[in-house]
Structures are given as C-alpha cells and as structure tokens.
Amino acid sequence: MSAKRGDRAAPPPRPGGYALRFAANDAAKGWEELCRQASANSRAAFDAIEATPCG
C-alpha cells in the first residue's frame, strides 16, 4: 500500500519525539522515491527534521 496525505512518515517516533505526517499525497510519493534512491541521506534528513521540526 502506498503512503498518502495524513499518513505517518516512517519510522515511528522515538519516546517523546514527533510523529511526522505527510501534508500532501505528492510528498508521500516523493519521500518513498527518495528513500529508495538515497536511503542513508533520507534517514539523516528524517533525524534532522525530527530533532528540530521548526528549525
């Protein structure tokens, strides 16, 4: 099943962390494609967004 707007962006949040959600269907599709092509960088981006979501 493909991700869509409002779905949680994997992986699950750490205790006390933020649950990231997609704001648009295109974002969900783009994230899946990015993870396939550059998984290590995608993980680093996810960690940075989770650590400072408003930064």
Side-chain angles (χ1 to χ4, degrees):
M1 180 200 280
S2 188
K4 60 184 184 289
R5 182 178 184 210
D7 285 354
R8 181 184 51 78
R14 293 182 175 105
Y18 293 92
L20 304 181
R21 298 198 178 269
F22 297 114
N25 288 338
D26 287 341
K29 291 175 188 172
W31 182 256
E32 289 180 8
E33 183 63 25
L34 183 64
C35 288
R36 279 193 288 276
Q37 292 183 17
S39 60
N41 290 338
S42 299
R43 180 62 207 203
F46 184 91
D47 290 342
I49 293 166
E50 184 183 40
T52 55
C54 297

